[in-house]
Amino acid sequence: MTSRCGISRSLARTRATRGGVLVEHLASEGWDMRITAALALGLIQYAEATDALIAQLEDGPDWRRVHASARALGLLYAERAIESLERIAARHWYPPVKEAASQAVRVIRGEEEYPAGRTNSVFFAHEHAGASLTATSRPFLDLGPDELPAVFLAQRTYSAEVFDMGEYPSRVKKRNQRPQCGLRVSDGYLLGASRGEWGGELVHQRDDATETHILYTHVVGIHRLGPHIIVATGLAHLGGNTGRLYRVFAQGETFDVEPWRQLPGAPQGSGWLADGRLYISCFGGAVLVSPEGDFEMADSGMLPAK
């Protein structure tokens, strides 16, 4: 029969093994994996990850990483994280991140407890963190350089692969898709659309009518921002809500993309204010984006009404 001490040692070894693997995943190329790893480290009480989690508080392209790391440090009651958490609470651009850091400090100091709930809900809390910040209206937005007007988009189509639910068994079919946003590039156009739960894409359509599909996701806006071409993507559907900016770059005779910045939630619309600032309204708050990729919350009281 295994003794209690033997069981305790076995559990400690298992926690150490899993904790070490999770710490490695904090540096994963997958942004979602980093968040899951941070929260899991807090939930399994892997105190050895404290310094690694404090390092995750440094602001970067994904605000969710800071939000998750603050929660994890609170779950670990990590007293040496208080100074860093207080700095985030005072300076971060996104109010839900500020509150997550403040709450972690209160929990560490014994002034508050995290509410009891299902473990799964912890991993998706960031998707609705800014629900109260969602804008009900947006200001008048102009087209930016090389952006295609609606009258042009209405006369253009590209080839898209769409999941057809009208037949059984359902299958993917090709159809002509009318773009909802677009940008003129040197040899043609970048075109995008979102079909809600049925997908979307970013397509490079050349002047000779040949096409390359660059990204399969829900595309809401395409803009030139400083030296970059960026694409606003995301979807809010059922319990999910996520939005991301991708950076588009030349790749041979076409383009490729890479994740650039995480939005507060799925974008509802994007465009340019009269003073030249890029405005993106999201399910989670409206933001202004600088050419360097810095965000600030848009103050609706200071913006001209549409």
Side-chain angles (χ1 to χ4, degrees):
M1 181 179 295
T2 305
S3 68
R4 289 186 179 179
C5 286
I7 292 173
S8 296
R9 286 196 295 269
S10 177
L11 289 173
R13 286 195 297 270
T14 300
R15 180 184 297 170
T17 300
R18 293 176 177 174
V21 171
L22 288 169
V23 170
E24 292 178 2
H25 282 313
L26 291 177
S28 170
E29 292 185 1
W31 289 13
D32 293 342
M33 177 61 75
R34 299 176 194 174
I35 298 162
T36 301
L39 290 167
L41 285 165
L43 289 169
I44 69 169
Q45 295 291 289
Y46 190 65
E48 292 86 343
T50 296
D51 290 336
L53 289 167
I54 291 173
Q56 299 291 304
L57 295 176
E58 296 303 320
D59 198 13
D62 188 356
W63 64 268
R64 302 173 307 165
R65 184 184 67 177
V66 187
H67 189 272
S69 298
R71 177 65 177 260
L73 289 163
L75 289 167
L76 291 173
Y77 299 96
E79 292 186 3
R80 66 176 181 271
I82 288 178
E83 182 178 350
S84 297
L85 288 167
E86 288 180 333
R87 183 178 66 252
I88 294 299
R91 300 178 185 174
H92 201 275
W93 64 269
Y94 195 34
V97 173
K98 290 183 175 183
E99 174 52 29
S102 294
Q103 185 181 30
V105 171
R106 296 193 297 270
V107 169
I108 293 168
R109 288 176 170 162
E111 301 167 356
E112 185 177 328
E113 293 182 0
Y114 286 121
R118 294 181 302 173
T119 300
N120 285 347
S121 66
V122 174
F123 289 99
F124 302 101
H126 58 268
E127 295 195 8
H128 305 284
S132 64
L133 302 173
T134 299
T136 56
S137 62
R138 65 173 184 257
F140 178 81
L141 300 175
D142 290 324
L143 292 175
D146 298 322
E147 292 177 19
L148 305 177
V151 64
F152 180 93
L153 296 171
Q155 300 172 12
R156 203 161 196 91
T157 62
Y158 61 81
S159 177
E161 294 183 346
V162 179
F163 200 62
D164 187 356
M165 296 292 290
E167 295 183 3
Y168 182 82
S170 55
R171 59 195 179 96
V172 173
K173 285 186 173 182
K174 287 192 174 181
R175 57 169 267 191
N176 289 329
Q177 172 71 48
R178 182 171 291 113
Q180 296 160 358
C181 54
L183 185 76
R184 175 70 187 179
V185 292
S186 60
D187 63 345
Y189 307 94
L190 290 173
L191 304 172
S194 172
R195 293 180 294 277
E197 62 183 300
W198 307 116
E201 57 279 309
L202 175 69
V203 175
H204 176 207
Q205 188 179 77
R206 300 172 186 82
D207 288 327
D208 64 7
T210 58
E211 297 176 351
T212 302
H213 283 63
I214 301 168
L215 180 66
Y216 291 93
T217 193
H218 312 86
V219 176
V220 175
I222 311 171
H223 309 282
R224 291 190 187 277
L225 179 65
H228 309 294
I229 295 175
I230 63 167
V231 181
T233 72
L235 177 67
H237 179 64
L238 298 178
N241 175 36
T242 186
R244 182 172 294 175
L245 295 179
Y246 285 86
R247 186 180 74 88
V248 181
F249 57 91
Q251 184 73 24
E253 295 182 354
T254 185
F255 297 90
D256 203 348
V257 296
E258 62 182 5
W260 192 55
R261 297 291 186 272
Q262 193 74 19
L263 290 167
Q268 300 170 281
S270 59
W272 299 88
L273 299 174
D275 60 8
R277 293 179 295 172
L278 179 61
Y279 173 96
I280 305 178
S281 177
C282 305
F283 288 103
V287 293
L288 304 173
V289 190
S290 77
E292 295 74 32
D294 297 324
F295 286 173
E296 64 175 295
M297 296 299 296
D299 184 348
S300 60
M302 299 176 61
L303 300 174
K306 184 171 182 179

